[in-house]
Amino acid sequence: MYWLSVLSVLTVVPLGFATPPSPCWDDMRLKHSWDSIPEKWECQGHPPAGTTIDLRVALKPHRKNALIDALYEVSDPSHSKYGAHLSKEQVAELVAPHPDTLELVGSWLACHEVPSTAVSITHGGSWLTVYNVPLTQANALLGATYQRYRHIETNETIIRTISYALPAALHEHVQTVAPTTYFGSPHALRLTSKVMSNGPTLPNGDPVLQNASSTFAPGAPLPSTCLKTITPECLRRLYNTMSYKPQARSVNQLGITGYLGEFASQSDLTKFLTLFRVDALPAQFSAVVVNGGINDQNQPGVEANLDIQYAESISYPTPNIFYSTGGTPPYKADEQTPTNANEPYLDWLDFILNQQTIPQTISTSYGDDEQTVPQDYAESVCNLFAQLGSMGVSVLFASGDIGVGGGSCHSNDGTNSVKFIPIFPPSCPFVTAVGGTTQVNPEVAANFSSGGFSNYFSRPCYQEAAVVSYLTKLGGQNSGLFNPNGRGYPDISAQAMNFLVVVNKTVVIVSGTSCSAPTAAGVISLLNDFLISKGRSPLGFLNPLFYRAPTSFNDITSGSNPGCGTSGFSAGTGWDPITGLGTPDFLKLQAALG
């Protein structure tokens, strides 16, 4: 197509702007604002003169639903195109904006004397990046007031505005601009893992460690130590992966994303495998640094080590890649950019969507309260995850660790009313959210497992029957505290308590849905290996398949996720907003795939 050929040129040469109209785009209309400074942030005034930021502008596609329609076609097992995942070029065609959009946006930028050499196009033409924009110019472009803000708990400083506007003529062409009103910058992201200071002790001679490296026969019973602490042995038995031997390790890959300056330690992985899966030695993972990420192998993060140790031990010998994404302290500031203005998800998505080879399975264990993320921003990021799904990537997110909501649970919509607090990105309908369980024989819902219903995203068709069935049984309970028409999450679950993890050569005990996500990702990666080894396409976006195969999961029927001064939701037969469809059974899922 001519438009695609134009895009291919625009991605490598400066963008040419149209002649600016007159008057100069002065009909400004509000795009997004907060009623007050977001919770836990305080304003520290204007940044120094000369401060610059990079602006990302998400453009609306010419064909509004084309990407999502295509995503469902290649993800629905009943569709003739199931498994026919898209190329980068095909995705670019689907998300391309109308030619008038680039012309109008270009005229707007030119009107404000933004040089064409400062602009590039990414993600198939759906995003513009404007580099080194002085804050005075950004304020004029967006009717904004950028200031420096400090997070009162982490002491991190960022540059943001509590409101911004766009010319009225651009509202139908521009989805969002970042960074603007999204205050969920790196250290405000919530880690979904916690070292358990009051967990089971591990004295010298503990049988968990004495017997951890033993190799059990595939049909052997679950070790009794799994009643106390979780090791790879426990998970491989619980989820029936013991007997499967990966065959497609030259093609199949599993990716783990890391933020907040997190990186994983190879030496800790080696000790972990020595203790808990000696047959996987000498497994190694690849470390990829994104946007100034860290990988110095000193003082690794608990989150990073947890993720890579369990993903690797379940999926071995599948190659694992850890992505350390920068944008957090230590941040190398200069006199023009004294504070952090990065958007963590966008930094990583910019990188991964530009790669020729992307892991077939990707796990992430970070999230924000959905209400702290501007809806236009959330929708734009969610659509980038949809791009990954359409290209055959299974994207999993830990659901969070605050039940139905933490703290006072007051909404920030101006009413200050008590509401359940959903978590983003798990609330995005184009990712697979993983909740948490505990105990064995049977498993029950972990009481911290976040789950509920999105206030931004409507209920997708793939979960219509399952969610309606749950809501019918729920009746009027918790009425008014959640959006019954929203996307329900999590989709599935896995063990989340008392995981043994090696950090700085010491065994610690960790809990949280950060344990669940890499565990589930390991199982999914094995399923992808099975398909690829048969010459078939990987799973890609998982949810349409999973909701059609609920009996391939271990249904979790007890437990609840209290929060917001309530008992939250209760687990029950079928899908529920604590454990989703349940925990995976590899052999049943393998059989369902045929």
Side-chain angles (χ1 to χ4, degrees):
M1 293 177 61
Y2 171 74
W3 175 237
L4 281 180
S5 65
V6 171
L7 275 180
S8 67
V9 173
L10 289 176
T11 58
V12 295
V13 301
L15 178 65
F17 292 151
T19 302
S22 181
C24 190
W25 300 95
D26 57 357
D27 183 14
M28 300 292 285
R29 296 188 184 177
L30 184 68
K31 183 66 174 169
H32 182 261
S33 69
W34 298 117
D35 293 333
S36 60
I37 298 172
E39 187 178 5
K40 297 182 180 180
W41 292 92
E42 63 179 15
C43 182
Q44 293 194 313
H46 296 286
T51 297
T52 65
I53 58 173
D54 294 341
L55 291 177
R56 291 185 174 103
V57 183
L59 305 178
K60 294 182 179 181
H62 178 35
R63 292 184 287 164
K64 181 179 179 181
N65 298 315
L67 172 66
I68 306 308
D69 289 345
L71 173 67
Y72 282 126
E73 288 177 353
V74 300
S75 307
D76 182 351
S78 66
H79 199 280
S80 60
K81 293 185 179 179
Y82 178 62
H85 299 120
L86 307 182
S87 65
K88 289 173 61 176
E89 293 73 22
Q90 289 172 316
V91 170
E93 182 176 353
L94 295 176
V95 301
H98 192 280
D100 290 349
T101 297
L102 279 177
E103 183 175 358
L104 286 168
V105 172
S107 296
W108 166 59
L109 294 174
C111 174
H112 289 273
E113 300 183 346
V114 174
S116 61
T117 54
V119 183
S120 69
I121 299 180
T122 58
H123 303 314
S126 60
W127 286 74
L128 299 181
T129 302
V130 188
Y131 297 99
N132 299 316
V133 181
L135 286 190
T136 52
Q137 191 176 43
N139 286 334
L141 278 164
L142 301 171
T145 304
Y146 278 97
Q147 298 191 79
R148 188 199 306 241
Y149 292 87
R150 185 184 74 89
H151 194 273
I152 61 176
E153 293 180 350
T154 68
N155 206 39
E156 179 196 6
T157 60
I158 62 174
I159 294 173
R160 294 294 187 272
T161 177
I162 62 170
S163 69
Y164 79 103
L166 288 171
L170 292 185
H171 276 244
E172 62 180 293
H173 297 275
V174 174
Q175 173 70 22
T176 192
V177 180
T180 50
T181 53
Y182 173 39
F183 279 70
S185 187
H187 267 298
L189 288 170
R190 179 177 293 112
L191 275 165
T192 54
S193 66
K194 182 180 180 181
V195 176
M196 303 298 292
S197 59
N198 60 344
T201 59
L202 292 174
N204 291 334
D206 190 299
V208 171
L209 299 184
Q210 284 184 344
N211 301 326
S213 63
S214 301
T215 300
F216 295 86
L222 191 72
S224 61
T225 53
C226 300
L227 299 172
K228 179 180 180 181
T229 51
I230 296 296
T231 66
E233 180 75 28
C234 305
L235 300 173
R236 295 173 68 213
R237 292 201 174 283
L238 279 171
Y239 305 139
N240 274 331
T241 67
M242 288 288 294
S243 61
Y244 184 75
K245 306 300 181 186
Q247 304 294 315
R249 55 185 179 271
S250 64
V251 177
N252 192 36
Q253 297 178 326
L254 194 164
I256 301 291
T257 64
Y259 301 98
L260 312 183
E262 288 263 340
F263 58 89
S265 164
Q266 180 59 55
S267 61
D268 281 348
L269 173 62
T270 298
K271 179 170 182 178
F272 177 84
L273 296 175
T274 301
L275 288 171
F276 304 125
R277 193 177 173 188
V278 69
D279 64 306
L281 290 171
Q284 295 189 341
F285 63 91
S286 299
V288 175
V289 171
V290 179
N291 191 42
I294 303 171
N295 182 36
D296 66 9
Q297 293 296 294
N298 294 313
Q299 299 298 317
V302 173
E303 177 69 50
N305 271 6
L306 160 68
D307 289 351
I308 204 68
Q309 288 170 15
Y310 278 87
E312 183 80 62
S313 61
I314 294 171
S315 65
Y316 177 81
T318 301
N320 281 212
I321 302 173
F322 185 87
Y323 298 94
S324 177
T325 301
T328 68
Y331 182 78
K332 294 183 178 179
D334 59 33
E335 61 181 8
Q336 300 302 316
T337 310
T339 56
N340 175 15
N342 292 318
E343 300 275 10
Y345 296 130
L346 287 181
D347 290 336
W348 181 78
L349 285 162
D350 276 349
F351 171 83
I352 201 69
L353 284 166
N354 195 42
Q355 302 305 299
Q356 291 302 314
T357 301
I358 303 174
Q360 292 84 353
T361 311
I362 295 175
S363 175
T364 302
S365 296
Y366 301 80
D368 291 306
D369 293 348
E370 185 185 71
Q371 68 174 5
T372 68
V373 184
Q375 185 167 353
D376 56 357
Y377 177 92
E379 290 172 350
S380 297
V381 172
C382 188
N383 285 337
L384 292 176
F385 290 127
Q387 288 191 33
L388 285 173
S390 71
M391 292 190 288
V393 180
S394 301
V395 181
L396 293 87
F397 270 86
S399 72
D401 296 345
I402 58 171
V404 292
S408 62
C409 296
H410 288 122
S411 66
N412 63 354
D413 58 4
T415 66
N416 201 37
S417 56
V418 174
K419 299 280 188 181
F420 290 169
I421 307 297
I423 306 296
F424 178 82
S427 64
C428 168
F430 310 130
V431 306
T432 299
V434 187
T437 63
T438 186
Q439 302 182 30
V440 296
N441 299 324
E443 294 180 84
V444 302
N447 62 7
F448 53 74
S449 180
S450 288
F453 300 85
S454 173
N455 291 317
Y456 289 173
F457 302 101
S458 60
R459 183 165 62 241
C461 57
Y462 60 73
Q463 65 172 194
E464 178 73 19
V467 173
V468 169
S469 175
Y470 179 84
L471 292 174
T472 300
K473 290 181 286 187
L474 185 67
Q477 184 179 345
N478 298 323
S479 178
L481 295 175
F482 68 97
N483 172 22
N485 298 312
R487 181 276 206 265
Y489 76 100
D491 302 295
I492 61 174
S493 53
Q495 285 281 314
M497 286 194 70
N498 299 328
F499 276 48
L500 298 184
V501 180
V502 174
V503 182
N504 287 322
K505 299 183 173 56
T506 299
V507 177
V508 299
I509 297 174
V510 181
S511 293
T513 54
S514 278
C515 303
S516 312
T519 296
V523 177
I524 300 308
S525 186
L526 294 180
L527 289 170
N528 277 329
D529 179 277
F530 167 71
L531 291 172
I532 294 169
S533 68
K534 301 293 184 184
R536 297 163 60 184
S537 299
L539 290 168
F541 177 40
L542 300 167
N543 296 359
L545 169 68
F546 282 0
Y547 282 86
R548 284 177 171 267
T551 58
S552 298
F553 295 85
N554 306 307
D555 194 9
I556 311 302
T557 59
S558 61
S560 62
N561 59 349
C564 304
T566 76
S567 58
F569 296 110
S570 296
T573 303
W575 179 90
D576 57 66
I578 317 166
T579 63
L581 298 167
T583 59
D585 186 312
F586 174 82
L587 295 180
K588 289 181 179 179
L589 285 164
Q590 185 184 33
L593 293 172

